[in-house]
Amino acid sequence: MLALRLTRGAHPAVQLRRALVALASAGTGFLLLCSLGYAMSHADHVTSSMLRLAWCLTPMAATVHLAVAVARTDPATRPRPGLSAIGLGPGRLMTISATTTALSCTLGSLLALVLFLQLRGDLAGAPLEGTAAQFLAADQPLPFPAAVTLLALVPAIASATVALILRPRDAQPATARPMRGYGRFGAYGRSVARETFGAYGRFGAHGRTTGSRTAEPAGAAESADAAAPSANGSRPAEQAAAAPAPDPDPTRPPGPRTAPAGLPWGIAVLAAGLAVEAYADRAGDGSRLALPGGLATGAPGVLAGWALTALGLTLAGPGLTHLCGRLLQSARPGALRLLAGRVLMEEATRIGRPLGVVCAVASGVFAMTALLDAHEPGFGPLSTFGTLLVAGCTVATLLTAAVEAKHERADTTAALLRLGAPATMLRSAAALRAGALLAAFAPLTLIVAELAALPLAHR
């Protein structure tokens, strides 16, 4: 009930994003039902039916990705101070997010079922004829257990993924490796840096050690420091030399996060995918795997290489975004380039991964379109619908991630405006970030698409 109330009272923009999730779930459910209808109409073509069902995994993955992005940006389930006191801790908010996602996807699955039954003629009117008849199987009764099982896949997988991504995590820092043995004066464990016996009383070093002993009172520390010159013969110059050097610029803002670690792996997987495509096309034994609906035809190894190429682009997206931000700040940057580059480096993981997915989908669509111009008459209706569904989900996911990033830096933007930064500079920084990403990812997408289509262009 709480999830329903939060869903009903949300902002119109949030409702729009949830409606997009429902529409994506409806499209994926309709493709699954069409695969079921094709299997019913072609009972002797088991391999083709299984291939059509496996082809639906791509729209399903795109829908789940969009559902996770929408759940992350939902303000109703964002942890806020005071919610734990009324029983809305991180675990409960995660459950509400998963439930809301399940409700949106279930609504989409019901819409898909109603549309499929309407086209079959089970609700009203006559069934469709012609090419669509082989996907509807209107002359056979629909097995509702199988249809319900297929329609339940998207809500179940999406809600489980949201619960896994948004699960509460322990915020405690990682503890150091426990050290065996007893330290000085009976304290269990030893400090990381070894010190002499006299260093314990000299210059208050006991307050800076990293061991497990507790801090002593201020009076004891002062007496130890006062007694240190007479007992050890130290002078104030030695105390100044032993003290840690202060930060030369205490007003300097902290640097951005470290670079994402996925760039080398992404490049390696991308290169491996292109190599697998080339090798599978040359060393193929003549077996071809025809994708449904007029899509490209090739050896199974070539299609596996396409999958590796898409995975490589997804893994390399955050690292490339971070690299774009670093390049924007090179060569004596001004305030505009410095602001744009810092934002890109800070939001590299949040923006880069959906951007890599968009590039992977765009490269695949571009490669298949180039092949269709030379060899195929065109896409089938379901292939066109599935391609538009995947492309729409990936673009919507990228826009949702951009909205999430904007909300995360809302405090920083407000602080800049209070300090007198003009609003035109913020808009110019946003345009500069978009231009830098476009200049980096657009040529990469075209190059990967050309290399991916090259093995199939000479078949």
Side-chain angles (χ1 to χ4, degrees), residues 376-433:
E376 301 291 343
F379 283 172
L382 291 184
S383 299
T384 304
F385 177 72
T387 303
L388 293 178
L389 176 62
V390 172
C393 286
T394 52
V395 173
T397 303
L398 178 60
L399 295 179
T400 304
V403 171
E404 180 187 7
K406 181 180 179 181
H407 290 167
E408 288 293 332
R409 61 174 184 271
D411 295 338
T412 304
T413 303
L416 289 175
L417 293 176
R418 287 196 303 269
L419 291 175
T424 55
M425 188 186 72
L426 299 179
R427 290 193 292 267
S428 300
L432 184 59
R433 292 194 302 269

Side-chain angles (χ1 to χ4, degrees), residues 3 78 115-116 181 213 266 278 324 331 369 382 397 422 428-429 451 457:
R78 185 172 301 172
L115 178 61
F116 187 75
R213 54 180 176 269
C324 289
T369 303
L382 291 184
T397 303
S428 300
L451 293 177

Side-chain angles (χ1 to χ4, degrees), residues 431-458:
L432 184 59
R433 292 194 302 269
L437 293 177
L438 184 62
F441 281 89
L444 177 63
T445 302
L446 295 178
I447 292 173
V448 171
E450 290 289 345
L451 293 177
L454 189 61
L456 298 180
H458 303 286

Side-chain angles (χ1 to χ4, degrees), residues 273 276-282 288 297-307 452 455-456:
V276 167
E277 292 179 29
Y279 178 79
D281 185 70
R282 290 187 178 183
R288 296 289 176 178
T297 302
V302 175
L303 301 180
W306 277 11
L456 298 180

Side-chain angles (χ1 to χ4, degrees), residues 39-418:
M40 294 169 55
S41 302
H42 303 77
D44 52 341
H45 296 79
V46 180
T47 303
S48 180
S49 301
M50 293 299 297
L51 184 59
R52 291 177 182 274
L53 186 61
W55 179 76
C56 295
L57 292 178
T58 303
M60 185 183 301
T63 301
V64 172
H65 194 201
L66 175 61
V68 171
V70 170
R72 289 171 59 95
T73 57
D74 194 346
T77 57
R78 185 172 301 172
R80 291 183 296 272
L83 291 182
S84 298
I86 59 175
L88 292 179
R92 184 72 181 277
L93 292 178
M94 178 269 296
T95 305
I96 294 175
S97 297
T99 305
T100 305
T101 303
L103 290 176
S104 301
C105 294
T106 302
L107 177 60
S109 298
L110 292 178
L111 291 176
L113 180 60
V114 171
L115 178 61
F116 187 75
L117 294 178
Q118 178 66 32
L119 295 179
R120 278 173 49 91
D122 295 339
L123 297 181
L128 292 181
E129 298 179 355
T131 309
Q134 60 177 339
F135 303 107
L136 300 176
D139 55 342
Q140 303 180 27
L142 181 66
F144 276 94
V148 171
T149 301
L150 290 177
L151 291 177
L153 289 177
V154 177
I157 295 176
S159 59
T161 306
V162 168
L164 181 63
I165 297 298
L166 301 183
R167 70 186 186 279
R169 293 177 175 85
D170 191 5
Q172 296 180 357
T175 57
R177 184 181 62 180
M179 299 182 180
R180 298 183 296 272
Y182 287 90
R184 189 180 297 113
F185 307 131
Y188 185 75
R190 292 194 294 269
S191 60
V192 176
R194 297 181 62 86
E195 58 190 21
T196 61
F197 179 82
Y200 181 77
R202 190 183 304 125
F203 314 137
H206 57 279
R208 294 191 300 270
T209 56
T210 57
S212 59
R213 54 180 176 269
T214 57
E216 297 185 4
E222 293 175 0
S223 61
D225 292 339
S230 60
N232 301 289
S234 60
R235 290 182 295 273
E238 297 180 2
Q239 182 175 359
D247 190 355
D249 189 6
T251 61
R252 181 180 55 193
R257 299 175 183 175
T258 58
L263 182 58
W265 289 102
I267 295 176
V269 174
L270 178 61
L274 296 175
V276 167
E277 292 179 29
Y279 178 79
D281 185 70
R282 290 187 178 183
D285 55 354
S287 61
R288 296 289 176 178
L289 189 62
L291 293 180
L295 293 177
T297 302
V302 175
L303 301 180
W306 277 11
L308 287 177
T309 302
L311 179 61
L313 285 174
T314 304
L315 293 177
L320 290 176
T321 304
H322 190 276
L323 182 61
C324 289
R326 185 172 293 276
L327 291 178
L328 278 178
Q329 301 176 78
S330 61
R332 302 177 63 88
L336 182 62
R337 285 199 293 143
L338 186 64
L339 178 61
R342 281 298 178 95
V343 170
L344 275 184
M345 294 174 68
E346 196 70 26
E347 304 294 340
T349 303
R350 183 179 287 110
I351 298 296
R353 188 168 289 113
L355 188 57
V357 175
V358 170
C359 290
V361 173
S363 63
V365 173
F366 182 82
M368 288 186 293
T369 303
L371 291 176
L372 288 176
D373 291 341
H375 299 281
E376 301 291 343
F379 283 172
L382 291 184
S383 299
T384 304
F385 177 72
T387 303
L388 293 178
L389 176 62
V390 172
C393 286
T394 52
V395 173
T397 303
L398 178 60
L399 295 179
T400 304
V403 171
E404 180 187 7
K406 181 180 179 181
H407 290 167
E408 288 293 332
R409 61 174 184 271
D411 295 338
T412 304
T413 303
L416 289 175
L417 293 176
R418 287 196 303 269

